[in-house]
């Protein structure tokens, strides 16, 4: 017992011919290119595509604006950080100059005191 339904060659040919006829009927009943319903669907698709493109362009524009805003913020933060570093460097340099001037002044004061003592000692010896 091979198969309960033994399809012969003629049965297979008949089934293939029926399938071809169904396909031909399907294509014959398909809407034509000048069909108003098909034209309406095409117009709707085009409108949807245009709307989708407009939304994509708006999203891209918003992304670009956000990127530009972030770049501007980063530039402002960088400039502020550089200004702060410059101010700190200037303050350090000023503090160093003040310290050096105090050291020089102290040295001059010590030298003056030493010279005064030397002159007093010499005056006592005479």
């Amino acid at each position: 017992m091979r198969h309960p339904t033994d399809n012969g060659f003629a049965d297979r040919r008949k089934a293939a011919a029926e399938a071809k006829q169904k396909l031909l009927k399907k294509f014959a009943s398909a809407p034509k290119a000048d069909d108003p319903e098909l034209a309406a669907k095409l117009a709707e698709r085009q409108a949807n595509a245009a709307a989708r493109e407009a939304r994509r362009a708006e999203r891209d524009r918003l992304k670009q604006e956000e990127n530009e805003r972030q770049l501007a913020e980063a530039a402002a933060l960088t400039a502020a950080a550089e200004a702060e570093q410059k101010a700190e460097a200037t303050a350090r340099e000023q503090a160093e100059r003040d310290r050096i001037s105090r050291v020089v002044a102290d040295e001059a004061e010590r030298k003056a005191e030493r010279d005064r003592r030397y002159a007093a000692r010499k005056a006592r010896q005479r």
Side-chain angles (χ1 to χ4, degrees), residues 98-115:
D98 290 345
R99 188 183 65 77
I100 290 171
S101 66
R102 281 194 312 269
V103 167
V104 168
D106 288 347
E107 281 295 318
E109 188 178 317
R110 278 195 291 266
K111 185 176 184 302
E113 178 61 25
R114 189 176 60 237
D115 291 347

Side-chain angles (χ1 to χ4, degrees), residues 118-126:
Y118 179 77
R121 189 171 58 239
K122 285 294 183 184
R124 279 191 305 247
Q125 289 176 356
R126 289 185 196 175

Side-chain angles (χ1 to χ4, degrees), residues 62-96:
L62 290 175
K63 279 184 186 177
Q64 181 66 26
E65 287 177 358
E66 179 65 18
N67 286 341
E68 289 173 358
R69 185 189 63 77
Q70 288 177 349
L71 285 174
E73 284 180 5
L77 289 175
T78 303
E82 288 176 358
E84 184 179 338
Q85 288 176 349
K86 187 175 180 182
E88 287 176 0
T90 304
R92 278 195 305 271
E93 289 174 7
Q94 184 62 38
E96 183 68 18

Side-chain angles (χ1 to χ4, degrees), residues 31-48:
K32 304 295 182 235
D34 60 348
D35 185 22
E37 187 177 319
L38 189 62
K41 284 184 181 180
L42 181 61
E44 184 180 349
R45 282 188 198 132
Q46 288 175 344
N48 286 342

